[in-house]
Amino acid sequence: MGNNVKVNDIPLNERPIEKLLQYGVENLSNAELLAVLLRTGTKGENVINLSDRLLLEIGGLDGLLDISYDEASKIKGIKKVKACQIIAMIELFNRFKTIRSQRNSFKITSPKDVSDLLINEMSNLNQEVFKLILLNTKNIIIGTKDIFKGTLNSSIVHPR
């Protein structure tokens, strides 16, 4: 598919949204799923090709999870709104993973439980974060709170 082909020129059953509705979301490629979220391409490049190129430039889905607003907005064809859509999607994904891990009244009984709870949320951070996990008397999580954000590799926290 050439870069200058508009999505409206693509046969109806090959367009991402129509394909999703007709065949199911699991039958879309990563680029097509991203195209559904981004909605529009740029002058001279349709949204499917833009999504495909974006994924190639950043190293696929794994790179997409690690991208920042600044990195996204430096990619040709990704301006302010599309960069915001991408980082909002990443944040929603991280929140969904956290919610799923907390779904059944998550109880802390070991350090591994803490790791399981926070690994998805914290694995993509670019700086040290000191978190507080709030528990009730039965060690069931009430909530979590960021106490301090440090530098790239340290977090200086006073015991007070």
Side-chain angles (χ1 to χ4, degrees), residues 69-126:
Y69 170 83
D70 292 332
E71 293 167 329
S73 60
K74 288 179 184 171
I75 296 172
K76 182 181 180 235
I78 305 294
K79 302 271 190 254
K80 181 177 161 182
V81 172
K82 288 194 185 324
C84 286
Q85 288 172 306
I86 291 167
I87 63 168
M89 175 202 52
I90 294 164
E91 181 60 22
L92 279 173
F93 174 73
N94 288 328
R95 289 182 187 187
F96 283 135
K97 289 192 305 184
T98 300
I99 288 170
R100 287 223 170 150
S101 68
Q102 295 174 349
R103 184 175 285 161
N104 297 320
S105 300
F106 201 80
K107 185 174 183 177
I108 302 293
T109 59
S110 70
K112 182 172 181 351
D113 293 338
V114 174
S115 171
D116 291 343
L117 173 71
L118 297 175
I119 192 80
N120 291 327
E121 179 182 348
M122 297 184 75
S123 64
N124 295 320
L125 297 177
N126 293 327

Side-chain angles (χ1 to χ4, degrees), residues 107-108 134-142:
K107 185 174 183 177
I108 302 293
L134 305 165
L135 306 173
N136 68 13
T137 56
K138 295 183 181 185
N139 287 348
I140 294 176
I141 295 174
I142 298 169

Side-chain angles (χ1 to χ4, degrees), residues 3-32:
N3 281 353
N4 57 359
V5 175
K6 295 180 181 177
V7 172
N8 288 340
D9 296 336
I10 298 172
L12 200 59
N13 65 340
E14 292 181 27
R15 297 178 195 172
I17 291 176
E18 287 77 5
K19 196 172 172 182
L20 182 149
L21 293 171
Q22 187 171 3
Y23 303 112
V25 70
E26 63 278 354
N27 290 304
L28 270 64
S29 68
N30 294 337
E32 290 170 326

